[in-house]
Structures are given as C-alpha cells and as structure tokens.
Amino acid sequence: MSLEFPRTLAIFCKVVDNYGDIGICWRLARQFHSEHGIAVTLWVDDLASFRRIWPAVDTQAALQDIGGIAVRHWPDNEGAFAPADIPDVVIEFFGVDIPPGYIEAMAQCEPRPVWLNYEGLSAEEWVEGCHSLPSMHPRLKLTKHFFFPGFTDKTGGLLRERGLVEERERFQADPAAMAAFLGRFGVGAEEMHSLKVSLFCYPHAPVAELFQVWQQGSTKVTCLVPEGVAREQVRAFIGAEPNAGAAATQGALTLRVIPFMPQTDYDRLLWACDFNVVRGEDSWVRAQWAARPFLWHIYPQDENLHHVKLRAFLQKYAVNVQALVDFSLRWNDAREGHMDALWPSLQAELPTMTRRAREWETQMLANGDLVSNLLSFVRSLR
Ligand SMILES: Cc1cn([C@H]2C[C@H](O)[C@@H](COP(=O)(O)OP(=O)(O)O[C@H]3O[C@@H](C)[C@H](O)[C@@H](O)[C@H]3O)O2)c(=O)[nH]c1=O
C-alpha cells in the first residue's frame, strides 16, 4: 500500500457534554489535515460548543470550510449515502452511532474503509489489552477496530502536534512573551511574581475552600478563571457578576475572570502559569504537554467509576509526590481532608512536581504522537 494512503478521512463527533468531545475531534481533524495532507470531513452535532473553542465556526452553516477542513452539521446532512461518499478512514468518536445509511454505503465499498472507534483516555491496565482489537459487524462484512489513546507504547499514545514542545519551550524561555500574554488578562508586572494558577474544573470542585486557603496564605496567588468556570464560587469571591474582566483581591489571592479563549491560546495560558487545574480529557493532556505542575479534575461517572481511573493515573504519574495524590483525591471527592493542610503540602512539592512533569514528558514523547500512531495502524490494516 502506498504511503499516500489514506487520502480521505471522516470523523463523527457527538457532543455529549462541554467542550472535550469537539475539542479532541477538532485537534484530530486539524492534525490529519495540516501534518498529513489528508482531506478531512468533521461531522459534529453541536456547532455552538465548537464555536466556543474555535471562534471562526459559523453556528448556522450546514457545511463550512474551516482552514481546509469540511465541517458538516449533523444530522442536517444525514441523507442517503453512496460508496462514493465514503472516505478511506471513518472514525467514530467515543462510540457514537454513525448514520445507518452511511454504514450500508461503507459495506458496499471495495476495498472497505478502515473503521475505527476512538476511545477515551485512561491509565488503567486493561487499555493495553483492548487497544487495536477488532469487532465484526453482526450483519455486514465490515470490521471496526478500537483505538485507545494512552500512556504506554502498547496504546495509541497522546495527541501532540508537530513542533508543539519546541514552540512551548520558546514561549517559556521568553518572560516578555509570557508577561505580554498574561497582560492581556490584566496581570500586571507585580502579579507576574505571584504564583500564577489557571483554574478549569467542574462545578462540584471544592473551589471555595481553596480560595479561602489561598486568601489566608502567605504566598501571593493570581488565579485566572475562564468565564463560566466555577461560576458561583467566583461570583461569591468577587462579589459581582463573574464576567470576563471582573477581578478582585482579598488577602493574598487575586482572582481574575478571563475570556473563554480559542484552543491555541488556552495552550499558552497553561504554558504561562505555574500551576494548572485542568479537567476532563483534552485540557488534562494539554497540561501534561505544558510540563508544569497540574491538578486533574476528572469527569464524574456513575458509581464513582472515575475514582478508579483517577487512581490509575496517579499511580503512574504522581511517583514520589504523595502530596499530589492526597490533594487530587480530596479535589475529586475520593477522600476527606482539610484544604488548609493539603494545600501547603502540595505547594511545598511544586519544585518536585516540575521535575516530575519534565520526566513524564520525556516518557510520553517516547510513545510517539497519536495521529502518526493511528495512521501507522490504519496502514497496517490495508
Ligand atoms: C478553558 C478553555 C478550554 N478550552 C478547550 C480545551 C479543550 O479542548 C476543551 C475542554 O475539554 P476537556 O478538557 O476535555 O473538558 P470538558 O469537561 O470541557 O470536556 C469533556 O470531558 C470529557 C472527558 C467528556 O467525555 C466530555 O463529554 C466533555 O465533558 O476546551 C479552550 O479552548 N479554551 C478555554 O478557555
């Protein structure tokens, strides 16, 4: 099979919640297109969520071209399909049900397209055993394969754009660039010497308690919160509507509400801060590529299944940093504990966490980047 394969690819994305689903699919789409020259069609059912992370999106368009990628609103375009409509590779994200007519058309293609189910990221051991497994269609002559991102070389690895680490290194080596970036959000020269924290979490995080500890602490903290995040707790602290631009200082804590920004700017925010609180999946991975200390607020699942996933990650990542394990479990409601004891312990470990973040990055780089790994896998199936 020539290296030209694949030339065309479709991604089906259903926005279940928030921004991670479209955030990951958009990242995938951009990378397939810009780094591998593949013609990509992204099917997505929620253009409003998409627009929040990518302002160029037209929320009314059934079909639009964004940077060379065809974006189709779904199910607007869910009509009849013929084999000619089917690309070389079809990716369904997190097990979405792609249109039945589309699957029928896939089954009529000769050769069949490569069909992948892109799964969620987890550090649990079973992932290695399930990565790349086939699943036969019960009725049609079609096989779908499971593709898992992951933290080892027996998984698909992590999403990482070409040149990302170098770009980040340049930015982090340039204090003026970081100051100019944070200056856009009102962070002045003096605040650049405080502990700069970005905060992205789900509404149930114990944010108010953490604000109180920071406020009463002896270290100056500047906390940057994208608009809409921890809305109630931020409103209570600021004493006003938590719209972008709102800010307040109480004790050692300065809280600034910043705009929800395009995906590429969000990376810079993570690179410029000393400590990042992230959530879900995509911001969690971006925090790892920021090579700075971070705290993860995991997406909650029924019966606390997410605690298993959280512990699996901490076991791999938080090696020799017990304070991070303790704080993370408390932050995710997996144990009791007082913030006024947990935070100082964590803060004392920030230098260790920085070293660990670097070490982890080296480890993750050795697994290659997910998109290249996925394309090698796709080629191996032809
Ligand atoms: C704060 C911020 C985030 N973002 C982007 C970064 C990410 O691409 C996206 C956020 O996605 P996440 O970090 O994954 O968190 P999330 O909570 O938004 O998304 C998801 O979590 C998944 C685990 C679930 O499966 C999803 O259903 C979804 O809930 O938003 C911006 O572009 N600008 C911003 O200002």
Side-chain angles (χ1 to χ4, degrees):
M1 181 51 59
S2 97
L3 274 181
E4 300 279 319
F5 178 83
R7 287 172 185 276
T8 52
L9 179 149
I11 302 172
F12 283 84
C13 173
K14 194 168 174 38
V15 175
V16 176
D17 208 1
N18 306 320
Y19 314 105
D21 308 298
I22 185 60
I24 295 167
C25 289
W26 183 233
R27 223 176 260 300
L28 282 166
R30 285 194 285 143
Q31 217 182 325
F32 283 126
H33 180 66
S34 66
E35 296 179 18
H36 300 273
I38 297 172
V40 179
T41 303
L42 172 60
W43 296 75
V44 55
D45 66 344
D46 178 355
L47 294 170
S49 295
F50 191 179
R51 191 181 154 84
R52 274 209 99 192
I53 62 157
W54 207 260
V57 172
D58 176 350
T59 53
Q60 303 305 315
L63 170 64
Q64 59 194 303
D65 180 302
I66 308 178
I69 294 158
V71 174
R72 284 183 177 273
H73 188 225
W74 187 29
D76 276 7
N77 292 280
E78 209 178 298
F81 296 100
D85 300 320
I86 305 300
D88 296 334
V89 181
V90 177
I91 299 179
E92 56 181 43
F93 186 76
F94 285 10
V96 301
D97 288 325
I98 59 183
Y102 198 90
I103 298 178
E104 296 286 344
M106 281 163 66
Q108 289 162 26
C109 290
E110 203 50 66
R112 305 277 190 280
V114 173
W115 184 10
L116 300 181
N117 187 345
Y118 186 103
E119 290 288 343
L121 175 62
S122 171
E124 290 160 286
E125 296 298 330
W126 60 263
V127 169
E128 288 187 348
C130 294
H131 174 58
S132 78
L133 283 186
S135 157
M136 313 295 173
H137 193 279
R139 188 170 50 82
L140 301 168
K141 273 188 78 182
L142 273 176
T143 303
K144 169 160 75 179
H145 287 84
F146 292 92
F147 191 88
F148 282 81
F151 302 103
T152 71
D153 62 1
K154 294 190 183 61
T155 68
L158 298 178
L159 267 171
R160 171 174 47 84
E161 294 82 1
R162 191 180 293 158
L164 178 75
V165 171
E166 294 76 5
E167 196 186 338
R168 188 209 69 217
E169 298 275 7
R170 277 195 299 278
F171 186 74
Q172 289 180 335
D174 185 348
M178 288 196 284
F181 179 78
L182 293 180
R184 282 168 43 187
F185 310 118
V187 177
E190 206 178 304
E191 272 174 61
M192 283 303 289
H193 299 293
S194 62
L195 182 75
K196 299 174 293 301
V197 179
S198 75
L199 177 66
F200 186 39
C201 59
Y202 296 110
H204 59 281
V207 170
E209 290 167 64
L210 186 56
F211 284 172
Q212 201 178 14
V213 174
W214 282 341
Q215 184 182 334
Q216 292 166 355
S218 53
T219 303
K220 287 205 165 159
V221 175
T222 297
C223 179
L224 303 169
V225 193
E227 194 174 21
V229 175
R231 203 175 177 86
E232 296 315 316
Q233 298 93 324
V234 173
R235 180 190 281 121
F237 184 88
I238 292 186
E241 270 313 292
N243 299 327
T249 300
Q250 287 187 48
L253 172 62
T254 298
L255 195 60
R256 294 188 175 280
V257 182
I258 61 177
F260 202 95
M261 59 195 76
Q263 230 178 17
T264 37
D265 277 351
Y266 182 64
D267 271 341
R268 291 195 146 58
L269 179 71
L270 299 176
W271 301 348
C273 286
D274 307 302
F275 179 64
N276 295 303
V277 182
V278 289
R279 75 184 199 189
E281 180 164 327
D282 194 48
S283 58
W284 174 39
V285 173
R286 303 318 278 184
Q288 295 172 50
W289 293 130
R292 295 262 161 115
F294 70 89
L295 170 71
W296 180 33
H297 201 208
I298 189 169
Y299 188 77
Q301 285 174 285
D302 291 341
E303 293 168 22
N304 284 336
L305 273 180
H306 57 292
H307 287 164
V308 176
K309 200 169 148 183
L310 171 68
R311 286 195 167 89
F313 177 68
L314 290 172
Q315 201 179 2
K316 278 200 161 72
Y317 183 83
V319 181
N320 295 330
V321 205
Q322 188 55 38
L324 178 60
V325 176
D326 295 342
F327 200 97
S328 300
L329 294 178
R330 172 68 177 86
W331 188 249
N332 286 282
D333 207 18
R335 61 158 274 187
E336 310 266 302
H338 291 289
M339 283 289 177
D340 48 7
L342 290 167
W343 171 253
S345 306
L346 187 68
Q347 193 183 343
E349 292 293 352
L350 289 178
T352 321
M353 284 170 68
T354 304
R355 283 195 296 278
R356 177 63 188 141
R358 290 266 167 194
E359 209 174 78
W360 179 256
E361 177 184 63
T362 308
Q363 223 174 300
M364 293 305 106
L365 283 171
N367 298 330
D369 79 273
L370 182 142
V371 160
S372 300
N373 294 341
L374 186 148
L375 290 174
S376 303
F377 178 58
V378 161
R379 290 182 187 120
S380 76
L381 296 172
R382 269 292 168 94

